[in-house]
Amino acid sequence: MAKTKENKIPELSNPSVCMRDPQRVQEILQSMVKAGSNTLQVISDFDMTLTRFAYNGKRCPTCHNILDNSKLISSDCKEQLKELLNTYYPIEIDSTRSVEEKLPLMVEWWTKAHELLVQQKIKKDMLEVAVRESEAMLREGNQLFFNHLYEHSIPLLIFSAGIGDILEEVIRQAGVFHSNVKVFSNYMDFDETGLLKAFKGELIHIYNKREGALLNTGHFQELRTRPNVLLMGDSLGDLTMADGVQDMENILKIGYLNDKVEERKQSYLDSYDIVLVEDETLEVPNAVLLYLTGNK
């Protein structure tokens, strides 16, 4: 029986797929299928998880990059933001440092970047243009992913350390911002004339998603009839996004390993159930969703 089940998702044999324990993956999938898709919720990171990491050999922008590269930012500000990136990004992906060590430095980075953006007097109505003129792209297969979740009334929570206003605009322009999508992110606060004056609420960065998850217990309370979780991320910080889920029964974790493959592969295999190596598509998550909703 287990053998036939295994072949139900041929995409799990794709060359980009790595699994530490394929048998365990099958067990989780079978348990979730048995429970039914009305018990499922999807929790996903955004930048470089739902969006492409690269296209034709060129890096694609994150939500912050879309702003950084746009005409809304002065060249002086762009320079300063680039300096911040060059200082802090190597720390973020440094596998020799602990999360505890990285945490205050990530807060420092995000806070400085947000302060610089606020000084730029960004107008709300210009965000749409910035996104349209950018090279941001959702991963291949995004229409099926978003539409299938919507058609099956499966909630999608997007949890992002990016900028919520930009993130929503990317999804909106792709035509897939449906009513089942909820976003936890850093949102801009505009004054009555539509100028950016601050960022709202608590800062969400790559390593405090757990706190964000626990702060939003109201959302998870509403979803307590959905104890089965498909989690998607591209960093080890994303693994805590489901920590607010109450009475969780099963969680299947899919991780995109976009770069620095050799030095990070083992830690991803130890943490994620399915690791997708340099895969720019949503083919595997889509195959899993189709399987879980009975569209085999």
Side-chain angles (χ1 to χ4, degrees):
M1 181 67 181
K3 203 68 202 143
T4 56
K5 277 284 182 193
E6 214 150 304
N7 300 331
K8 286 286 170 68
I9 306 183
E11 289 81 358
L12 289 182
S13 306
N14 284 4
S16 68
V17 174
C18 295
M19 292 180 277
R20 189 184 72 243
D21 188 349
Q23 190 54 45
R24 174 87 188 110
V25 170
Q26 292 306 325
E27 285 163 13
I28 296 170
L29 284 168
Q30 286 174 38
S31 185
M32 285 168 121
V33 163
K34 204 181 274 177
S37 62
N38 60 337
T39 68
L40 180 66
Q41 58 174 302
V42 180
I43 301 176
S44 181
D45 169 54
F46 186 70
D47 288 319
M48 298 180 283
T49 297
L50 292 177
T51 61
R52 281 175 175 269
F53 178 76
Y55 182 63
N56 288 341
K58 187 170 182 270
R59 282 291 302 269
C60 290
T62 65
C63 292
H64 277 100
N65 298 151
I66 290 172
L67 262 193
D68 302 354
N69 302 338
S70 75
K71 296 171 185 154
L72 307 184
I73 305 277
S74 70
S75 53
D76 183 41
C77 180
K78 283 181 182 172
E79 235 2 88
Q80 290 176 275
L81 287 165
K82 197 173 180 180
E83 275 172 34
L84 289 177
L85 178 73
N86 294 340
T87 305
Y88 292 100
Y89 183 64
I91 298 170
E92 180 191 306
I93 61 169
D94 184 350
S95 49
T96 65
R97 295 191 192 218
S98 70
V99 170
E100 289 71 33
E101 201 182 333
K102 294 178 184 183
L103 230 151
L105 296 165
M106 294 301 105
V107 174
E108 209 173 274
W109 177 14
W110 255 238
T111 307
K112 285 178 182 172
H114 286 176
E115 283 168 2
L116 282 171
L117 292 175
V118 169
Q119 290 165 17
Q120 292 299 294
K121 309 244 185 307
I122 293 165
K123 289 182 84 79
K124 185 175 188 170
D125 56 10
M126 292 302 291
L127 296 180
E128 184 192 338
V129 181
V131 169
R132 185 165 294 121
E133 291 179 349
S134 77
E135 293 177 356
M137 300 169 79
L138 292 171
R139 286 190 190 270
E140 197 180 308
N142 67 81
Q143 298 281 327
L144 173 58
F145 180 80
F146 282 92
N147 293 342
H148 194 74
L149 288 173
Y150 175 62
E151 283 155 18
H152 287 80
S153 307
I154 297 169
L156 167 61
L157 170 62
I158 298 175
F159 217 133
S160 174
I163 300 171
D165 311 76
I166 301 263
L167 183 167
E168 289 191 7
E169 193 57 44
V170 172
I171 303 173
R172 197 173 289 118
Q173 290 186 18
V176 291
F177 198 173
H178 303 308
S179 55
N180 64 317
V181 177
K182 183 158 184 175
V183 180
F184 292 164
S185 189
N186 298 301
Y187 279 90
M188 296 173 152
D189 199 0
F190 297 95
D191 66 16
E192 57 287 350
T193 68
L195 278 183
L196 174 63
K197 61 174 186 180
F199 277 80
K200 295 176 186 172
E202 288 295 309
L203 175 72
I204 297 176
H205 57 80
I206 190 168
Y207 289 116
N208 75 342
K209 289 191 171 180
R210 179 168 194 273
E211 286 73 10
L214 298 178
L215 279 174
N216 288 288
T217 47
H219 168 82
F220 293 115
Q221 184 69 31
E222 282 169 41
L223 297 183
R224 63 185 180 281
T225 57
R226 293 180 176 269
N228 291 308
V229 178
L230 177 64
L231 179 140
M232 296 163 56
D234 75 309
S235 82
L236 300 181
D238 291 332
L239 292 158
T240 60
M241 294 187 298
D243 284 11
V245 176
Q246 296 167 3
D247 306 319
M248 181 150 28
E249 283 174 18
N250 298 289
I251 180 164
L252 184 70
K253 295 176 280 216
I254 299 179
Y256 280 93
L257 179 49
N258 296 307
D259 67 344
K260 304 265 190 296
V261 172
E262 283 321 307
E263 64 190 73
R264 299 199 292 170
K265 193 172 182 179
Q266 195 53 53
S267 60
Y268 275 58
L269 282 169
D270 290 341
S271 311
Y272 283 103
D273 302 301
I274 299 171
V275 177
L276 302 176
V277 178
E278 295 177 335
D279 182 341
E280 292 296 347
T281 75
L282 287 163
E283 190 179 356
V284 171
N286 282 341
V288 167
L289 282 174
L290 289 171
Y291 180 67
L292 292 178
T293 51
N295 300 64
K296 304 180 186 66

